[in-house]
Amino acid sequence: YSGAIAFSQMFDIPGLFNISFNMSIWVIVWLIGIIGGIYAIFGGLKAVAVSDTLNGLALIIGGAMIPFFALKYLGDGSILDGVSKITTTHYDKLNAWGAATDPVPWTTIFTGIMIVNFFYWATNQAIIQRALGAKSLAEGQKGILIAGVFLLTLPFMLNLPGLVSFHIFGSSLNNIDLAYPTLVREVLPKPLLGFFTACLFGAILSTFNSFLNSAATLFCYDFYKPIFKKNISDDDLIRVAKISGTVIAIVSMLIAPMLQSGSDGLFLLLKRFAGFFNIPIIALVAVGFLNKTINGLAARITVIAHVTLYFSLVWIFKINLNFVHVMGGLFVFDILLMVILGSFMKREVPYELPKENKSHVDLSNWKYAFPVSYILMLGLAYVYTILSKVGLAGGNSLTIINVVYFILGAGGIFIIMKSTSSIKNNVNENDQVSLEKNNI
């Protein structure tokens, strides 16, 4: 849907082919779905991973062009003048800390947003399927941490164009989903429009391919194989995956154009719907890690109760509480319900994790995992600081903020590297003592 919106607006498809906007969305959705479906269904995870890498690099280049040309357009040919306009006029729009009346208040960071992020990084099939497909633990950690680095560029790649769009178009756009593609059509030089379109098309296909592949995998291993055919061969399972992937793709293409009815925009619409499955999944995983006796029936009852309650509270009763807070509250409810049900719904044999590394994958940590993690956390705090009333959103200088974070960054990395080195030395000394004892 987002891809169809972008292409329809950037190339004025309704005017070009003399069709309605709604019809243009349907046509483009089905074109994207058919091309992406063929690639994902017949190419498999490896083809999706390779295309993700290439499309990701192209998207970074293409995505970085838009803020550059947008600021240049806003500043009448000068990027610095464009920056000056957004930092001196309506600079309150630079505040990333949502007020109580905003769709996502900043307090939700400590309730539903925190749980949603745990879901995304720890249980989202499209993410963990790639991490678990790495050749070693260190390579998987590198992939996740690099993804985190790119995530910190989102305010520049996405929010900044939205802010410039506000300065250029004001409230003239009927649908907030049109802000980005309209800005692209307005500010990007025509010779670069084809390149950007290719980048965008690749990114859209990557997203669709990834989730289609993950959905087919989940269907085969969590539904078809355990219920219908436990001893199915790999070749037959791949055949089932292709059929299920085709069905999922068709259903997706039927539903996507209907997202036009989301009055608050695509992002918030999807976030509201995500509450149906994000929260109970991470609750199940958390209880699964911390408890060895609660059985599957208790988990299933909890999921049904969650879906019923969430739908009732957000859509039927429309309680006067932000839906993200509702998600955070239901996370606690899900865990408590499972614990209560688990007091009498128990497994016959307590679950034990297998101790043997049957895959023979190298499980050594990447030596820079801790310092890079620290830099990422500090970087996130830095972004939230400059995009607050203490920083740009208050019309303040960033000099003191930059100095403070530089000291925190340099000092923190020095301490982490020293402590890591000390731990390694102790481990090596213990190994040496153990070897000497064995020799004696």
Side-chain angles (χ1 to χ4, degrees):
Y1 168 71
S2 61
I5 285 279
F7 290 130
S8 182
Q9 193 71 7
M10 286 192 300
F11 294 104
D12 190 21
I13 300 299
L16 195 63
F17 293 98
N18 195 26
I19 57 177
S20 67
F21 180 77
N22 180 56
M23 179 57 68
S24 70
I25 297 298
W26 277 93
V27 171
I28 299 171
V29 160
W30 277 79
L31 283 173
I32 293 172
I34 291 170
I35 295 171
I38 291 172
Y39 194 88
I41 291 164
F42 295 100
L45 179 60
K46 185 173 182 180
V48 171
V50 171
S51 68
D52 276 0
T53 304
L54 298 175
N55 291 328
L57 291 172
L59 185 65
I60 291 166
I61 297 170
M65 292 194 310
I66 305 306
F68 174 83
F69 286 107
L71 289 171
K72 190 175 180 180
Y73 181 94
L74 185 63
D76 298 321
S78 170
I79 295 176
L80 292 178
D81 287 347
V83 172
S84 177
K85 283 185 179 180
I86 64 171
T87 53
T88 57
T89 309
H90 297 294
Y91 54 75
D92 56 300
K93 296 287 184 182
L94 289 165
N95 192 2
W97 296 71
T101 55
D102 288 333
V104 183
W106 72 268
T107 51
T108 57
I109 293 173
F110 305 104
T111 57
I113 292 295
M114 181 184 293
I115 309 304
V116 168
N117 274 278
F118 271 119
F119 167 83
Y120 181 81
W121 289 105
T123 65
N124 186 314
Q125 178 73 7
I127 300 295
I128 63 169
Q129 192 169 335
R130 283 153 181 70
L132 296 178
K135 65 181 180 181
S136 66
L137 176 61
E139 293 299 314
Q141 289 172 334
K142 289 177 189 176
I144 289 293
L145 291 171
I146 290 171
V149 172
F150 287 124
L151 205 66
L152 290 181
T153 67
L154 290 186
F156 174 76
M157 303 279 270
L158 294 179
N159 300 102
L160 180 57
L163 183 60
V164 175
S165 182
F166 168 79
H167 279 270
I168 295 174
F169 306 115
S171 57
S172 62
L173 298 174
N174 296 326
N175 187 337
I176 62 174
D177 291 334
L178 301 178
Y180 191 85
T182 306
L183 180 73
V184 171
R185 188 178 67 183
E186 187 72 25
V187 307
L188 198 63
K190 293 298 183 286
L192 292 174
L193 191 58
F195 172 73
F196 180 79
T197 303
C199 297
L200 189 63
F201 187 69
I204 293 162
L205 287 185
S206 288
T207 304
F208 184 65
N209 295 348
S210 299
F211 284 101
L212 192 59
N213 181 273
S214 298
T217 303
L218 288 170
F219 173 81
C220 289
Y221 282 98
D222 292 346
F223 186 78
Y224 186 84
K225 187 175 180 178
I227 295 176
F228 295 105
K229 206 169 183 180
K230 293 183 179 180
N231 298 320
I232 189 172
S233 66
D234 288 344
D235 290 338
D236 289 337
L237 197 61
I238 290 172
R239 195 175 298 111
V240 172
K242 289 178 179 179
I243 296 171
S244 62
T246 303
V247 173
I248 294 167
I250 292 171
V251 172
S252 300
M253 291 183 283
L254 288 170
I255 292 174
M258 299 178 189
L259 294 176
Q260 294 176 76
S261 60
S263 58
D264 293 329
L266 177 63
F267 181 78
L268 283 178
L269 181 69
L270 293 182
K271 287 302 173 191
R272 286 194 176 98
F273 272 95
F276 281 114
F277 59 89
N278 283 5
I279 307 305
I281 286 177
I282 196 65
L284 263 61
V285 170
V287 172
F289 271 116
L290 301 173
N291 185 281
K292 298 180 179 181
T293 59
I294 297 175
N295 67 14
L297 180 59
R300 293 184 184 93
I301 292 173
T302 299
V303 171
I304 294 170
H306 173 94
V307 171
T308 304
L309 270 175
Y310 182 71
F311 179 75
S312 301
L313 293 171
V314 176
W315 271 276
I316 297 178
F317 299 111
K318 297 181 180 179
I319 63 170
N320 188 25
L321 182 66
N322 189 279
F323 74 97
V324 185
H325 286 314
V326 174
M327 291 160 61
L330 285 180
F331 173 74
V332 177
F333 167 81
D334 293 345
I335 290 180
L336 290 175
L337 181 59
M338 268 187 285
V339 171
I340 293 169
L341 293 174
S343 62
F344 55 89
M345 293 181 179
K346 297 184 178 181
R347 294 170 57 95
E348 293 182 3
V349 179
Y351 179 77
E352 292 289 342
L353 279 170
K355 296 180 180 180
E356 183 185 356
N357 180 11
K358 294 182 179 179
S359 62
H360 304 293
V361 173
D362 183 6
L363 297 179
S364 302
N365 284 306
W366 182 37
K367 62 179 180 179
Y368 297 117
F370 288 109
V372 172
S373 299
Y374 175 75
I375 293 171
L376 278 176
M377 289 186 287
L378 199 66
L380 182 63
Y382 175 75
V383 169
Y384 265 91
T385 304
I386 62 173
L387 297 178
S388 70
K389 290 185 177 180
V390 176
L392 294 175
N396 301 312
S397 170
L398 301 181
T399 304
I400 297 177
I401 294 173
N402 290 337
V403 170
V404 169
Y405 275 96
F406 177 79
I407 294 171
L408 288 173
I413 292 172
F414 176 77
I415 293 170
I416 291 171
M417 295 302 289
K418 287 287 289 182
S419 61
T420 304
S421 176
S422 174
I423 291 170
K424 285 184 178 179
N425 289 336
N426 288 337
V427 170
N428 291 336
E429 289 174 5
N430 291 336
D431 288 344
Q432 185 63 36
V433 170
S434 177
L435 285 170
E436 289 175 358
K437 286 182 177 179
N438 287 334
N439 289 333
I440 291 170

